[in-house]
Amino acid sequence: MNPDLDSPQSRVLPAELAAIQSNPYSQAIFENQALGIAWVDDRGCILVANATYGRFLGLLPAAMVGRCLADFIAAEDFQGLQDSWPRQGNPPGANTVVEVRHRHRDQGLVWGRLTITRVSQGSSPIPLVLVICEDMTPTKQAEQVLREHQEDLRQSEATYRTLFASNPHPLWVYDLDSLAFLEVNNAALAKYGYSREEFLAMTLGDLCPPRDLLGPYDNLNPLGEGMGRAGVGKHRKKDGTLIDVELTSHRLIFRGHRAELVLAQDISDRLQVEAKLRYSTLHDGLTDLPNRYLLTEKLQAALKQSQRQSSPRHAVLFLDLDRFKTINDNLGHLAGDQMLVILADKLKALVRETDLVARLGGDEFVIVLEDDEPIRGAIRIAERLFSELQMPLSVGDREVFLSTSIGIVLITPAYDRAADLLRDADIAMYRAKVKGKGRYEIFDAEMHASALQRLQLESDLHQALANHEFLVYFQPIVVLQTRQLMGFEALIRWQHPRRGLVDPLEFIGIAEEIGLIIALDRWVLEAVCQQLAAWDQNPALRGLTVSINLSVQDLWNIHLIDDIDRVLARYDLSGDRLTLEITESMLVNDMETTSQLINQLRQRGIQISIDDFGTGYSSLSYLHQLPADTLKIDRSFVSHMQENPKNFKIVETILSLGHHLNLKVIAEGVENQAQQKALQRLGCEFGQGHWFAPPLPAAQAAAYVTSTAKVVDGKGSIPGA
Ligand code: C2E
Ligand code: MG
Ligand code: MG
């Protein structure tokens, strides 16, 4: 065949071919073949083609006639076709087979397997070649898919092998029946410390302690092939140490064995971290005591137990340190922390192994106690603690006295929730604080009611300032000898919309706790100055002086001085119109800062009075350093001074101490003439109390001034005395 020679041209069919084609029988065979057939001359020119060949190329057979067969073959396969073309000398009937790509009219390349046979020779005018074309396209396509699939397979196998060999986690395959190892990766060898030979000579039983051999998996149902499972267990390394492992496994057939591929991850470190984390979430970082979570668990367990017991066996003690905030603020947080740790140790030493001491946070501790007589046991612990706390604690170079208030509650089946137990223990503790601190109280139902009332009061208090529900009353302070007015003490009153006038003792403490006291006291300061300015308009009332009570938070508030300056300026008042009353307990800590502050106040002419003297725990040695003007003897000593010689002695001592320190002394709560006389005899200069006048609304206070003797000057010196 010579493919480049031929162009379409009509040719006369050779006689033999014409004979075949004109025979209807052979024509039918020719046209109805499933194979493509073409008669071609020995130069490759198509003389006739059947419909099947035409369909194979997307053509009508007539369009093929006269064209060279090579026109329909892909260029890459020319050579192959040419090489297979029957040579002149080939014996007739001998055929060659070649697979070549044909160019389909619009489907691109299609595969045909050509069987080429030289038919005529010798006398024939044109040598004839029979080309039979079998459509191989579907087979070739299938072969291609298969080849690609095999390639994928080969690649994925390689990938798996790499994944196995170079996996950073230990991996092995073992025989499910004999438990012998069949394959192992380097990471496993490194982790367990064996050589490959040693490893492959062992069975799974050599790695796992016998318990774990069944352990992590035995609760799982038998698995089918290809299924995975996971568990946690312990493995022994070659050096004998045990490690915690997390195992993930996969069933497979490996080299003909029923096997399991196992991934073993060493989780020893993770478990350790988890254990540490769990410990730290359940314990308090400072004291190492169980925290609220663990406490709640313990309480729940005790509650459950109480449901089954005929009589209660558990009690809760709720402890809160007294004045811890003051200690913390003044000695520093480090010292505060140290004290909490010392206390935690003391508490642990007081209870049995089976009891629990927990820190709730801040200065709150809880003990859960188990005892045949739980309340008695709780009281015993409270009293032992109180007696321990009689001794001061050494913190740095200081000795500090700690005191704590304790609420006790019995765990009974009436409780469902730990939170309710803690709430009631807290209520009892609060009651212990109100009753004077450093004591214990046992919870009862009445406490619950008053706690609710307190909650109500708290929420009312938040709105009271905005609702203008506060008033200032003025109680006269008089010269004992002459009953002349020395000044007033401003005392706040709360006109509660439902409850009427509420006593400050009932809400000052709450205001301090909920952070409202500074706003409240600033309001009093403003109201008092406004009142003084108003009184100044009246010549009969001009120049009065008023004492204002401060709370410890006022004293530590950095804006105190500025606020006072601003209010005095606003009402055009001089500092000597005011006295500030501070209680002695505010003075104990950080004398230096307190003295500086008091000096700044005194530079403005403001006087300082030490309120409720004798009830706090100040050391007398502090007093001489303190730049104060007046001492106020607490009314608890004055009120019983006649009947109780001890009180009388205390009053006498405070008076002599005050005079010794050059302070003037005011007796609070003078209620009768006998007291007035006794105080006078002891040399007390001033008195305040119902015997002279109760706290009065502003208008009545003004009336009191005009109806009584002349006002003495603000510094408390009695003219002519
Ligand atoms: P305090 O500063 O020691 O005030 C004296 C208290 O004794 C006042 O109680 C007064 O009404 C009461 N009193 C005076 N004379 C007698 C008497 O003859 N017999 C009796 N039984 N009581 C007498 P009050 O007004 O209930 O105040 C109680 C405490 O509340 C005050 O004690 C003071 O510590 C605090 N307080 C009052 N007003 C304020 C305020 O505006 N700010 C601050 N931070 N605390 C205040
Ligand atoms: Mg006072
Ligand atoms: Mg007082």
Side-chain angles (χ1 to χ4, degrees):
M1 172 171 122
N2 189 348
D4 15 84
L5 270 184
D6 287 68
S7 54
Q9 51 187 283
S10 64
R11 280 176 184 255
V12 181
L13 283 186
E16 298 99 312
L17 189 51
I20 296 169
Q21 290 297 97
S22 60
N23 176 336
Y25 182 66
S26 27
Q27 178 63 22
I29 293 177
F30 182 77
E31 283 304 340
N32 295 311
Q33 272 296 334
L35 299 168
I37 305 174
W39 286 103
V40 179
D41 67 17
D42 75 335
R43 299 171 66 199
C45 183
I46 298 171
L47 302 170
V48 62
N50 71 353
T52 308
Y53 213 154
R55 265 199 307 282
F56 178 63
L57 294 173
L59 298 170
L60 288 172
M64 296 172 69
V65 172
R67 296 189 57 187
C68 181
L69 179 62
D71 287 353
F72 301 104
I73 304 299
E76 304 93 298
D77 290 346
F78 271 176
Q79 195 57 48
L81 179 61
Q82 198 145 24
D83 293 349
S84 317
W85 202 253
R87 307 275 160 242
Q88 203 89 67
N90 282 4
N95 58 30
T96 51
V97 176
V98 65
E99 284 179 357
V100 286
R101 277 160 288 184
H102 290 61
R103 285 182 293 152
H104 186 281
R105 193 182 60 171
D106 40 39
Q107 285 176 10
L109 296 178
V110 287
W111 277 95
R113 175 193 277 162
L114 304 185
T115 307
I116 308 167
T117 317
R118 175 183 280 275
V119 179
S120 62
Q121 57 165 11
S123 60
S124 296
I126 306 173
L128 283 180
V129 176
L130 175 68
V131 177
I132 297 177
C133 174
E134 184 184 349
D135 182 1
M136 296 298 287
T137 313
T139 317
K140 288 286 181 188
Q141 277 170 348
E143 266 175 24
Q144 178 65 17
V145 171
L146 214 69
R147 238 191 335 272
E148 280 169 10
H149 177 69
Q150 275 167 350
E151 177 59 14
D152 282 356
L153 229 98
R154 204 188 55 71
Q155 269 181 13
S156 78
E157 234 181 75
T159 310
Y160 278 125
R161 249 197 312 279
T162 316
L163 273 179
F164 183 86
S166 60
N167 199 294
H169 298 296
L171 282 168
W172 62 74
V173 182
Y174 74 98
D175 185 308
L176 272 175
D177 299 315
S178 67
L179 304 187
F181 291 115
L182 303 173
E183 188 59 277
V184 59
N185 74 349
N186 290 337
L189 301 176
K191 170 62 67 188
Y192 289 86
Y194 293 102
S195 70
R196 183 173 299 277
E197 292 68 36
E198 287 171 330
F199 205 103
L200 293 178
M202 299 194 302
T203 69
L204 194 59
D206 296 315
L207 281 195
C208 311
R211 184 176 51 84
D212 278 25
L213 192 54
L214 295 170
Y217 295 155
D218 59 357
N219 56 344
L220 290 167
N221 297 326
L223 289 162
E225 210 171 289
M227 303 270 285
R229 52 185 181 168
V232 173
K234 280 194 187 301
H235 277 170
R236 195 184 300 284
K237 300 206 286 188
K238 186 177 178 183
D239 64 11
T241 50
L242 285 176
I243 52 173
D244 292 292
V245 281
E246 188 172 73
L247 303 167
T248 316
S249 76
H250 215 75
R251 291 229 169 150
L252 72 172
I253 299 292
F254 185 82
R255 296 183 197 141
H257 298 261
R258 281 186 344 105
E260 199 157 48
L261 167 70
V262 179
L263 167 85
Q265 271 178 287
D266 184 350
I267 53 167
S268 312
D269 288 349
R270 192 183 89 196
L271 291 189
Q272 258 175 30
V273 171
E274 276 173 11
K276 272 190 202 146
L277 266 176
R278 187 179 147 73
Y279 187 87
S280 67
T281 49
L282 295 178
H283 290 80
D284 164 50
L286 176 67
T287 60
D288 207 28
L289 289 178
N291 63 14
R292 183 183 286 271
Y293 293 111
L294 207 53
L295 171 69
T296 307
E297 272 179 27
K298 172 86 178 176
L299 286 175
Q300 298 288 16
L303 277 175
K304 223 181 224 158
Q305 245 175 293
S306 79
Q307 319 278 355
R308 283 183 257 119
Q309 280 150 351
S310 50
S311 60
R313 289 192 49 82
H314 293 89
V316 177
L317 291 91
F318 194 113
L319 293 86
D320 187 289
L321 294 181
D322 301 324
R323 301 182 195 91
F324 184 67
K325 188 172 168 357
T326 320
I327 291 168
N328 225 354
D329 287 349
N330 295 296
L331 299 186
H333 284 261
L334 215 62
D337 283 356
Q338 256 176 297
M339 288 172 66
L340 292 176
V341 173
I342 296 174
L343 183 71
D345 291 341
K346 278 192 189 299
L347 294 178
K348 271 191 282 188
L350 281 179
V351 302
R352 288 188 220 131
E353 279 283 291
T354 45
D355 303 333
L356 181 96
V357 182
R359 182 176 173 220
L360 268 195
D363 59 348
E364 292 176 344
F365 294 85
V366 171
I367 298 175
V368 185
L369 173 87
E370 185 169 3
D371 202 297
D372 292 339
E373 290 179 276
I375 289 292
R376 228 182 252 267
I379 291 172
R380 206 167 41 235
I381 288 181
E383 279 172 349
R384 289 223 312 263
L385 181 65
F386 292 146
S387 87
E388 290 236 351
L389 295 181
Q390 303 258 294
M391 302 288 288
L393 305 181
S394 303
V395 177
D397 53 357
R398 299 252 196 165
E399 302 240 296
V400 185
F401 282 96
L402 258 196
S403 120
T404 169
S405 302
I406 303 178
I408 297 173
V409 63
L410 190 64
I411 301 186
T412 67
Y415 286 99
D416 296 326
R417 300 179 326 141
D420 295 343
L421 273 170
L422 288 178
R423 178 202 62 209
D424 288 352
D426 188 16
I427 290 172
M429 183 282 295
Y430 181 74
R431 174 60 60 98
K433 288 236 188 236
V434 172
K435 283 202 180 168
K437 307 192 168 86
R439 51 186 290 150
Y440 68 82
E441 285 292 324
I442 299 164
F443 178 80
D444 61 41
E446 180 274 324
M447 279 185 197
H448 185 69
S450 69
L452 285 182
Q453 196 182 332
R454 184 196 132 93
L455 273 179
Q456 185 59 49
L457 209 61
E458 250 180 49
S459 88
D460 292 349
L461 202 53
H462 274 293
Q463 286 141 45
L465 252 186
N467 293 348
H468 308 290
E469 289 168 14
F470 293 107
L471 300 168
V472 182
Y473 274 35
F474 297 88
Q475 186 175 33
I477 301 171
V478 303
V479 179
L480 276 179
Q481 257 173 357
T482 61
R483 294 181 73 124
Q484 281 176 303
L485 182 73
M486 188 267 248
F488 286 111
E489 177 175 6
L491 294 160
I492 193 166
R493 294 292 178 266
W494 180 9
Q495 186 66 52
H496 190 283
R498 292 186 306 281
R499 296 181 50 191
L501 221 49
V502 182
D503 196 48
L505 287 178
E506 221 182 305
F507 65 86
I508 292 290
I510 300 176
E512 282 177 343
E513 277 176 42
I514 64 177
L516 216 68
I517 191 67
I518 294 181
L520 212 60
D521 284 342
R522 294 298 189 275
W523 178 85
V524 172
L525 174 71
E526 175 94 28
V528 163
C529 290
Q530 197 177 19
Q531 188 60 67
L532 282 174
W535 281 338
D536 280 354
Q537 304 300 312
N538 180 342
L541 301 171
R542 193 164 295 157
L544 289 167
T545 63
V546 176
S547 299
I548 288 173
N549 291 284
L550 285 191
S551 106
V552 69
Q553 289 175 37
D554 294 311
L555 210 57
W556 294 110
N557 182 268
I558 50 165
H559 302 298
L560 178 68
I561 301 256
D562 287 348
D563 288 351
I564 292 176
D565 284 347
R566 209 167 346 180
V567 176
L568 286 175
R570 186 176 308 145
Y571 295 101
D572 196 21
L573 297 170
S574 55
D576 60 7
R577 306 289 298 279
L578 291 182
T579 297
L580 299 182
E581 296 193 2
I582 57 182
T583 61
E584 59 170 326
S585 52
M586 297 184 198
L587 304 173
V588 238
N589 298 299
D590 205 350
M591 272 297 290
E592 208 171 299
T593 320
T594 315
S595 296
Q596 278 173 10
L597 179 80
I598 288 177
N599 278 329
Q600 275 178 286
L601 290 167
R602 294 182 93 211
Q603 279 161 14
R604 289 159 169 77
I606 297 169
Q607 297 197 37
I608 301 298
S609 200
I610 299 176
D611 205 354
D612 304 345
F613 193 78
T615 60
Y617 58 109
S618 71
S619 147
L620 295 182
S621 63
Y622 286 147
L623 273 181
H624 75 275
Q625 304 173 25
L626 195 81
D629 302 277
T630 329
L631 276 190
K632 293 185 86 173
I633 309 176
D634 190 68
R635 110 171 161 243
S636 58
F637 304 119
V638 176
S639 64
H640 297 294
M641 65 184 284
Q642 243 103 23
E643 311 92 82
N644 187 337
K646 207 169 147 195
N647 276 3
F648 190 89
K649 194 82 205 147
I650 292 174
V651 172
E652 196 179 19
T653 310
I654 295 174
L655 271 164
S656 82
L657 176 86
H659 290 149
H660 184 72
L661 295 171
N662 263 331
L663 302 171
K664 293 186 186 65
V665 182
I666 301 173
E668 290 186 314
V670 182
E671 289 182 336
N672 53 49
Q673 194 174 26
Q675 285 167 354
Q676 182 193 357
K677 292 267 180 277
L679 288 160
Q680 253 174 279
R681 269 198 305 279
L682 289 171
C684 182
E685 292 92 341
F686 303 103
Q688 174 184 355
H690 293 171
W691 174 242
F692 309 111
L696 303 165
Q700 288 181 36
Y704 178 90
V705 179
T706 45
S707 69
T708 49
K710 224 168 92 213
V711 181
V712 290
D713 79 44
K715 293 184 183 65
S717 48
I718 308 158

